[in-house]
Amino acid sequence: MIDFTPTQEQQALIDVVRRFVREEIIPLEADLDPDASELKPADYARLKRKIQDLGLYGMDIPAEFGGPGLDVTTRALLAMEMTQHRGGLYTACYGVFGGAGLAQLYEATDDQKERYLYPTLKGEKHGFFGLSEPSGGSDPARAIRTRAVRDGDDWIINGAKLWISGADRADYGIVFTRTGEGREGITAFIIDTDTPGFQVRRVVHTLRSAHYATEMSFDDVRISDAQRLGPVGKGFSLANDRLSAQRIPYAAQCVGVAEVAHRMAIEYSKIRETFGQPLAARQGIQWMLVENEIDLRSARLLVLAAAVKADSGEDFRTEAAVAKIVATEAAGRVVDRAIQIHGGLGVSKELPLERWYRELRIRRIGEGPTEVQKMIIARDLLGKIAG
Amino acid sequence: MSGLGIRNDWQPLTAAAIGELPGTLGVFEIGDDQGHTLYIGYAGGRSLFGLRSPLGDYLAKPPVVNAQFRVELNMQYISRWKELLMDHQARHGSLPPLNPAEDAFALGHLGQQSGKTKK
């Protein structure tokens, strides 16, 4: 039997993060716009220093690159804690814990690591991940039409990308291009954003008020072969290799937000009275809370099961896909019920519920939509006959 | 970058014009009497009366004589505000004169960047 009780070390980390969110992050949110995704610069710098002093900065950075070397299970447990505030789902603790940079850069050449990976890990540079295009994102092996054509020691790139986060603020991007046919015809390049011919054409507004996607174009962008990331034709596997692992913390973040929403709903149902009784006395409300509890326990267990499998070194693609589907969809239902229980207050910006409702809707699409996750699971169940 | 700005017409910054606005969230611009943008702002979730609140503040202390304003009702007010700032930056090389420097913090770029020749 697998025991998901945190170890002593895990619990100590959980307690530190929980206290940090409660004492440092939540108080600041009282002065931020309800849809804000950034702290004031002075607060960000102060809290980042605090996290660095605690030795928790860059927790997603692999140990061989100076990170704390957390396993996937610990990372998932901390992800559930870090998101438990208004802006937590997409900007857990407003980024003061640092990021891991673009994971594909860990496969870069030494020169590329010096120019891009290490500055990124230090927070000196920011990159974007340029995979999706107007023609598609779920099936990049077929959908990618941005072309890279060899020209001597250089490559010339033409095309467009869409739904790309952070490109307008990035110093460089990892861009996946077509150099041949099919899955083996994708090649990745690192492109500096001030390269002639590259431009971010527009922002794309979404359900998230504070954050947007971007559309970009490449018009005869000439780059050296030294900017190629990985072998020609191996871009698809470079993009794919880390996707399964990323899905686990992605799912865990949804669980964290849903847990707060559920707690809010329980507390509110005890104090809010209608027709002379608290809401909690009504069976209809009780059953909604019970369904929340079942959804949350299922999601949490499946996320941790996927994390444990990932840590075991065995293939965990199916477990990650299951966790992603269940967590993203369950969290949406939990927040929806929490809004219903809160009534008018639930749909107002006075509470974080409406923001989580909008943002969780996106989680069923990002990092591979539910339908793609189901394809992964079907292939595991049925083999090649599943397509 | 044309076409990204607020498309509604400029209106004189008067109590009557502001009073006609719904108490909705969105973005706004303050301009001079020639229609040059002086400030780009937004009315967000903490705004008591939506767009009327920040515009009322400017009415109380107008930055120029015969100031004007224009608005766009938009629930995606933060991303739209950033887009307007980036658009202004791309077209004019800087933020509007009354936007503080901190509004440029972590602001992105639209269009072609410096375009310095890469080897």
Side-chain angles (χ1 to χ4, degrees), chain A residues 48 57 61 98-103 105-106 112-128 171-172:
Chain A
K48 179 180 167 184
Y57 188 79
I61 300 172
L102 292 165
L105 287 176
Y106 296 124
Q112 290 168 344
K113 283 177 185 158
E114 288 293 332
R115 288 189 289 136
Y116 299 105
L117 174 64
Y118 302 136
T120 302
L121 296 180
K122 285 187 252 183
E124 293 163 4
K125 279 191 175 178
H126 297 94
F128 68 81
D171 301 286
Y172 68 93

Side-chain angles (χ1 to χ4, degrees), chain A residues 32-144:
Chain A
L32 294 177
D33 187 273
D35 275 346
S37 62
E38 284 159 356
L39 294 173
K40 292 173 191 162
D43 288 328
Y44 176 82
R46 174 177 59 82
L47 292 181
K48 179 180 167 184
R49 262 194 315 274
K50 203 164 213 171
I51 293 300
Q52 285 169 328
D53 292 344
L54 286 170
L56 289 175
Y57 188 79
M59 61 172 70
D60 290 320
I61 300 172
E64 60 264 39
F65 293 98
L70 297 179
D71 59 31
V72 181
T73 306
T74 305
R75 188 62 189 91
L77 288 166
L78 294 183
M80 291 180 196
E81 293 297 326
M82 287 166 65
T83 55
Q84 294 198 19
H85 61 95
R86 183 188 285 269
L89 185 60
Y90 272 101
T91 48
C93 296
Y94 298 99
V96 301
F97 281 83
L102 292 165
Q104 287 74 19
L105 287 176
Y106 296 124
E107 318 297 332
T109 64
D110 290 340
D111 172 62
Q112 290 168 344
K113 283 177 185 158
E114 288 293 332
R115 288 189 289 136
Y116 299 105
L117 174 64
Y118 302 136
T120 302
L121 296 180
K122 285 187 252 183
E124 293 163 4
K125 279 191 175 178
H126 297 94
F128 68 81
F129 185 76
L131 184 70
S132 295
E133 301 198 356
S135 46
S138 290
D139 181 20
R142 285 193 185 83
I144 287 177

Side-chain angles (χ1 to χ4, degrees), chain A residues 157 191-199 217-223, chain B residues 112-119:
Chain A
I157 296 175
I191 299 180
D192 293 297
T193 53
D194 61 357
T195 305
F198 170 82
Q199 66 168 322
S217 61
F218 305 85
D219 294 310
D220 290 333
V221 172
R222 176 178 287 273
I223 55 170
Chain B
Q112 179 73 58
Q113 287 195 48
S114 67
K116 66 179 183 223
T117 305
K118 300 289 289 185
K119 191 174 170 319

Side-chain angles (χ1 to χ4, degrees), chain A residues 29-30 32-35 41 168-169 192-201 203 205-207 209-210 212 349, chain B residues 1 25 42 44-46 75-80 82-83 86 105-106 108-116 118:
Chain A
E29 289 188 321
L32 294 177
D33 187 273
D35 275 346
D168 58 309
R169 293 159 61 161
D192 293 297
T193 53
D194 61 357
T195 305
F198 170 82
Q199 66 168 322
V200 177
R201 292 164 52 86
V203 304
H205 303 284
T206 70
L207 288 171
S209 170
Y212 43 81
K349 286 191 177 295
Chain B
M1 297 290 104
L25 308 183
Y42 68 84
R46 301 251 180 243
M75 288 302 289
Q76 266 62 37
Y77 47 87
I78 295 182
S79 60
R80 181 64 173 130
K82 289 182 179 177
E83 182 180 48
M86 287 191 284
F105 177 70
H109 291 90
L110 291 177
Q112 179 73 58
Q113 287 195 48
S114 67
K116 66 179 183 223
K118 300 289 289 185

Side-chain angles (χ1 to χ4, degrees), chain A residues 3 7 10 51 53 60 147 156 158 193 195 210 229 238 267 289 295 369 372 379:
Chain A
D3 181 5
T7 64
Q10 287 170 334
I51 293 300
D53 292 344
D60 290 320
R147 283 209 163 265
I156 312 284
N158 282 281
T193 53
T195 305
L229 181 62
L238 197 63
E267 289 313 305
L289 293 173
D295 267 336
V372 169
R379 273 193 217 126

Side-chain angles (χ1 to χ4, degrees), chain A residues 296-348:
Chain A
L296 272 168
R297 290 192 189 200
S298 312
R300 188 179 174 94
L301 286 171
L302 285 166
V303 166
L304 291 176
V308 167
K309 189 96 187 278
D311 284 332
S312 73
E314 297 174 47
D315 183 4
F316 61 95
R317 266 174 313 177
T318 295
E319 285 77 7
V322 168
K324 202 264 180 181
I325 292 173
V326 171
T328 54
E329 302 210 342
R333 289 193 297 269
V334 168
V335 170
D336 184 67
R337 291 183 200 112
I339 287 178
Q340 192 70 13
I341 288 169
H342 281 82
L345 200 53
V347 297
S348 80

